[in-house]
Amino acid sequence: MEKTWNNKAWFMVLPVLVLVAFSAVIPLMTVVNYSVQDTFGNNEFFWAGTDWYVEVLTSDRFWDALTRNLIFSAIILAIEIPLGIIIALNMPKKGLGVPVCLVLMALPLLIPWNVVGTIWQVFGRVDIGLLGHTLEALGINYNYVQNPMDAWVTLIVMDVWHWTSLVVLLCYAGLVSIPDAYYQAAKIDGASRWSVFRYIQLPKMKRVLLIAFLLRFMDSFMIYTEPFVVTGGGPGNSTTFLSIDLVKMAIGQFDLGPAAALSIIYFLIVLLLSWIFYTVMTTSDAQS
Amino acid sequence: MARIDLEHIRHAYGAKPKSENDYALKEVHHEWNDGGAYALLGPSGCGKTTLLNIISGLINPSEGRILFDGKDVTHLSTQDRNIAQVFQFPVIYDTMTVYDNLAFPLRNRRVPETEVDRRVKEIIEMIGLGGWAGKKAQGLTADQKQKISLGRGLVRSDVSAILFDEPLTVIDPEMKWVLRSQIKRLHKQFGFTMVYVTHDQTEALTFADKVVVMYDGQIVQIGTPAELFERPRHTFVGYFIGSPGMNVLPARIDGSTATIGGETIALNFRPEFKSGAKTELGIRPEFVSIGREGMPVAITKIEDIGRHKIVRARFADQPISIILDEDGDIPADPRIAFDQKAINIYADSWRVGGEA
Ligand SMILES: Nc1ncnc2c1ncn2[C@@H]1O[C@H](COP(=O)(O)OP(=O)(O)OP(=O)(O)O)[C@@H](O)[C@H]1O
Ligand SMILES: [Mg+2]
């Protein structure tokens, strides 16, 4: 087929380009700009080269926060993906239960981020919070303000409560697209419950699971709200993730240079890891 | 291998059927003999798939019992009934190879691997996918997928029965014929009880010893192909079997004569039926002859379909079809006659017998 070339077509994509430029490219370039310069205020800038990058990459502070991030994301994925699959498998496929379940599942996703933090902060307080008080009454010594372990558990429970629904909804969409005949054939073939999952349901969910995995990875890796509202990065530095550290650095200490360098490094790590996951998961799909 | 008895089976998909029309299966009471080859023939929506699913246990009937060799299996699960079923639409396990797809039903039942290998190799040759054993099933064409579906139904050698739900619809005619004869061969070799659903009457008539015709949730006739052709029990069977179908003409019956319009036709028997019933005369196009003698008819169209001609005409203000030999002549003032032995009389759509 002959393709017509018409340069006017560029005008069609112009609005999107402008939008992306203002919302992403320009801020990013500004950050890049900061990351290679030093300033003492008064809008005076000095060329700093890669100094800030070296400073960030050689600091323990950076590596500690990065490690916390990696551990946090690993735990989140290890809980939310299997849990999401299990819940999706057990959701009703027809009848009145379907809309009820879907609404219940969507609820946490609809709550504004700062409210989520506050809800849990109050919920977990030992003096007035339902959870904190109940645990206290049960004789469990729970205090997320003093005990790092408790702080972590709180953050993980919050994230699981908040975001498992996303995995559930994605998996559920994959599951309902499976025609009844597959389940009937499996019965005829004498397949076990596990085989049905392994050979019918899992393959159908594969694509959506990849999306769920990537979304939950990126999102949990960039976690900010929950530690910011609930623990403020503490106790000590135990919940100071890269994002928290970044804000401390930029707003708290006004070290714009290192903060900008950290942002760029942070961005590249998310990008790189997502790309690796994506490549590994799609090629293993093609081979198997 | 088993005899299957269906005792007063009724089934409605809705929870609380109110009228007769809520039933997808109205009443099926029938036995399938051990080792029989049955074709289940009927129009779309008449309940063929429903009936198969009830036999295999995928659906529990609303009413009635199912017996395998005299043993009540109504509440047994599909697994415990040991039935193979091939579905209307191909079902394959995408992530498995062709080989593993075929081995799946055997491995699930812990058949020893040497036996699995032997059976799978045999079936894979039979369905003509010999070179594809190690291929992923995902990228196959629709008819290859259907063959795998079929193969999975045939791979087990110990089943009570094999149920086929229009297994060859997407397969090209040449291959269809090959596969059908393979299935017949397996039937002879192993003596499985087989039920074969189809829309296609030629397929039904060539496959089966007995053809079961369903209509509107009921079995209307069970018989050999010849019986269905010569003595359709219901006008529907008359229409449905044969091409073109039987001519069914409203007729008044008095003793052993039938009157259609102004024409009187002598019968060789005296039909018995409840008075007030709607009566019809059925005659197949094959048994209507055209000549200079008989009852007047107006020809509307002649279709030449090779081996013979189909003449469409109007007789006593009713459309009628006549089959004529390729070299048969139509005189200027055509008249028709019915072969007396081939006349069937219907009261309220059901065939009525009578004394000769
Ligand atoms: N799962 C279902 N829920 C409700 N009604 C159904 C269901 N399956 C079938 N029916 C209805 O039951 C009747 C019989 O359906 P069935 O599938 O047994 O017909 P069939 O003879 O197999 O038709 P086809 O030749 O189109 O496959 C139809 O009226 C259909 O609409
Ligand atoms: Mg059907």
Side-chain angles (χ1 to χ4, degrees), chain B residues 45 48-50 88 165-166 197:
Chain B
K48 304 181 296 289
T49 302
T50 308
Q88 208 162 348
D165 199 349
E166 306 189 39
V197 169

Short mmCIF file of all heavy atoms in Angstrom, two decimals, chain B residues 45 48-50 88 165-166 197, ligand 2:
data_model
loop_
_atom_site.label_atom_id
_atom_site.label_comp_id
_atom_site.label_asym_id
_atom_site.label_seq_id
_atom_site.Cartn_x
_atom_site.Cartn_y
_atom_site.Cartn_z
N GLY B 45 -30.46 -25.01 19.28
CA GLY B 45 -31.24 -24.66 20.46
C GLY B 45 -32.23 -25.72 20.91
O GLY B 45 -33.03 -25.48 21.80
N LYS B 48 -29.43 -30.29 22.41
CA LYS B 48 -28.46 -31.36 22.20
C LYS B 48 -27.29 -31.26 23.18
O LYS B 48 -26.93 -32.22 23.84
CB LYS B 48 -27.91 -31.31 20.76
CG LYS B 48 -28.99 -31.38 19.69
CD LYS B 48 -28.41 -31.36 18.29
CE LYS B 48 -27.67 -30.09 17.92
NZ LYS B 48 -28.51 -28.92 17.72
N THR B 49 -26.71 -30.05 23.26
CA THR B 49 -25.58 -29.86 24.16
C THR B 49 -26.01 -30.09 25.61
O THR B 49 -25.29 -30.72 26.39
CB THR B 49 -25.01 -28.44 23.98
OG1 THR B 49 -24.63 -28.28 22.62
CG2 THR B 49 -23.81 -28.20 24.88
N THR B 50 -27.19 -29.61 25.94
CA THR B 50 -27.70 -29.81 27.29
C THR B 50 -27.77 -31.30 27.62
O THR B 50 -27.32 -31.73 28.68
CB THR B 50 -29.10 -29.18 27.41
OG1 THR B 50 -29.03 -27.83 26.97
CG2 THR B 50 -29.61 -29.22 28.84
N GLN B 88 -18.06 -28.41 21.34
CA GLN B 88 -18.44 -27.73 20.11
C GLN B 88 -17.35 -26.76 19.65
O GLN B 88 -17.10 -26.61 18.47
CB GLN B 88 -19.73 -26.97 20.40
CG GLN B 88 -20.61 -26.75 19.23
CD GLN B 88 -22.02 -26.38 19.70
OE1 GLN B 88 -22.37 -26.51 20.87
NE2 GLN B 88 -22.83 -25.94 18.77
N ASP B 165 -19.66 -33.29 20.51
CA ASP B 165 -20.59 -32.19 20.26
C ASP B 165 -20.14 -31.45 19.01
O ASP B 165 -19.29 -30.56 19.10
CB ASP B 165 -20.65 -31.26 21.47
CG ASP B 165 -21.90 -30.40 21.47
OD1 ASP B 165 -22.59 -30.37 20.43
OD2 ASP B 165 -22.18 -29.76 22.50
N GLU B 166 -20.68 -31.81 17.89
CA GLU B 166 -20.31 -31.21 16.61
C GLU B 166 -18.80 -31.03 16.50
O GLU B 166 -18.31 -29.91 16.41
CB GLU B 166 -21.00 -29.86 16.43
CG GLU B 166 -22.49 -29.98 16.60
CD GLU B 166 -23.23 -28.71 16.21
OE1 GLU B 166 -22.83 -28.09 15.22
OE2 GLU B 166 -24.20 -28.38 16.90
N VAL B 197 -23.15 -35.53 18.14
CA VAL B 197 -24.10 -34.47 17.83
C VAL B 197 -23.71 -33.80 16.53
O VAL B 197 -22.54 -33.53 16.29
CB VAL B 197 -24.09 -33.40 18.94
CG1 VAL B 197 -24.88 -32.17 18.51
CG2 VAL B 197 -24.67 -33.96 20.22
MG MG C 2 -24.85 -27.19 21.14
#
